Amino acid sequence: MMGQQTGVQDKLFYSFNLDDHVPRSHLLRSVDRFFDLGDLRKHLAPFCSHTGRPSIDPELMVRMLIVGYCFGIRSKRRLCEEVHLNLAYRWFCRLGLDDAVPDHSTFSKNRHGRFSDSEALRHVFESVLRRCMIEGLVAGEGFAIDASVIKADASRARGVSGVETIDWSQGEWQSRAVREYIEALEENNPTDDDIPASTESTTPPKNISLTDPAARWTAAPGGPAFYAYSTNYLIDLQAGIIVDVQATPAYRSQEVESTKIMVDRVAQRFNLRPRRLVGDTAYGTGPMLGWMVQEKGIEPHVPVWDKTERKDGAFSTIDFAWDEQANEHRCPQGHALRRDRRVFKSPRARITKADTVIYRPSQSDCTSCSQKDQCCPNTPTRKIARSIHEAERNVARAIAATPEYQQSRCERKKVEMLFAHLKRILKLDRLRLRGLSGAQDEFLLAATTQNLRRMAKWLMPSFQKAQEMPA
């Protein structure tokens, strides 16, 4: 017999429990087990007024943001609508059926206010990281470092040449991102009286965005250039937990320098000092290897940035033997290449701006050499630029010949997997917030979410069967 729904009178009383309507295998159940914001209010207390109208609960806003990043909901308007309608979202945010959802404008007001002043989002990230450490997912023995380019919320059409003079005082350009950019320039650039005579101006960027001037014009991923930021991940190799994240403009040198900031911050706040650091060739420069080996005592499991290999069939630098005691190179014919051809009363360092020392043979040795055409076919004499960090470069080369190094190369893929997850699952392939601070906020929330999902995947067997969002 065909059933038919009949109209019934509305009940006077309802017995409804949100917990009963959220599946046991739901992602948010697993995340909620490891997500504790009990000390967030204490952290924000010095930044809130003791008088006036009560503010929106900061724990509610952070939980809503985690929901948005977990399920790729990038729009705050849509996030508020989804939390209003979805029972599981309400349960995770500790909202009852009758509780109101905050307006979308609340998030931006708090982000530029008390959240920014108190670094609340970094506090949340670090509290989740501490939970990962308590659960035994962070060993601290080996770290991996890498960067990924994320498009900025800036149109390619709204930009000017980097050498063009821009009057940022015009009203149409006085946005928050522009003000942050100008403040950063004034903070980092010394006054004319403080500039040494030998200081040279830095190379201006090729293009500057009028919408988000801190973003960098780049074509690094291939294809047409665009404005972008870089998210820099420092991860622990045991379970792929992100131990620190730093936003930088999409510029290689700033990405590499951010490594020092993150390693020092993790050591200071969590007492984590890795024995080895794994990275790609970008982190194999001489100064970076010197910092790892000499200052931090870290084994550099990175390929050496080496541009001395000749492609014209001529001898490469590796063909010239180094004599440490005599402080000289020896060519294949046995001739000496020295830094100085005579002894000076006042020794000279001979260090170039590229942090190298030039070694040259005597002109007569090269002129009469039978292998000159294979050594220096286009120049009268051969010269070798030896890095002042050559000893540290040799340490990295020696490590590259070990089986442990090959294992590190395989483990480094965990960083690439996190970036793929960031863009494909969390939908963070383009920023919605502008300015370096906006990029930092988005990257911190995304890294927090990834750590929570990683804990759920490793420690909650029921999460493996969840069909809502594959990890």
Side-chain angles (χ1 to χ4, degrees), residues 190-197:
T191 61
D192 293 339
D193 297 336
D194 297 333
I195 299 177

Side-chain angles (χ1 to χ4, degrees), residues 349-376:
R350 301 291 190 186
I351 299 176
T352 66
K353 294 179 180 179
D355 286 339
T356 61
V357 178
I358 306 299
Y359 290 81
R360 294 182 175 89
S362 66
Q363 188 170 358
S364 60
D365 289 341
C366 283
T367 303
S368 61
C369 182
S370 60
Q371 293 185 323
K372 181 181 184 304
D373 292 339
Q374 191 176 357
C375 183
C376 49

Side-chain angles (χ1 to χ4, degrees), residues 100-118:
V101 177
D103 187 77
H104 65 88
S105 61
T106 305
F107 293 96
S108 60
K109 291 180 180 179
N110 280 272
R111 185 178 73 83
H112 296 300
R114 54 178 176 167
F115 280 13
S116 176
D117 297 337
S118 64

Side-chain angles (χ1 to χ4, degrees), residues 190-244:
T191 61
D192 293 339
D193 297 336
D194 297 333
I195 299 177
S198 60
T199 301
E200 295 184 359
S201 60
T202 58
T203 304
K206 186 175 182 179
N207 283 280
I208 295 180
S209 171
L210 299 177
T211 306
D212 189 353
R216 191 79 180 191
W217 181 258
T218 180
F226 54 88
Y227 297 105
Y229 290 95
S230 289
T231 176
N232 299 270
Y233 276 7
L234 183 68
I235 74 163
D236 183 84
L237 289 173
Q238 177 177 338
I241 296 297
I242 305 168
V243 296
D244 206 349

Side-chain angles (χ1 to χ4, degrees), residues 27 92 94 110 153 164 186 190 223 257 265 296 302 309 332 342 366 368 384 416 422 443:
L27 168 63
F92 181 78
R94 307 294 192 261
N110 280 272
D153 184 26
E164 184 176 335
E186 293 175 348
E257 286 299 314
R265 184 162 49 204
K296 297 299 176 181
V302 298
E309 184 70 25
R342 63 185 179 89
C366 283
S368 61
I384 292 180
E416 302 293 346
L422 176 73
F443 296 157

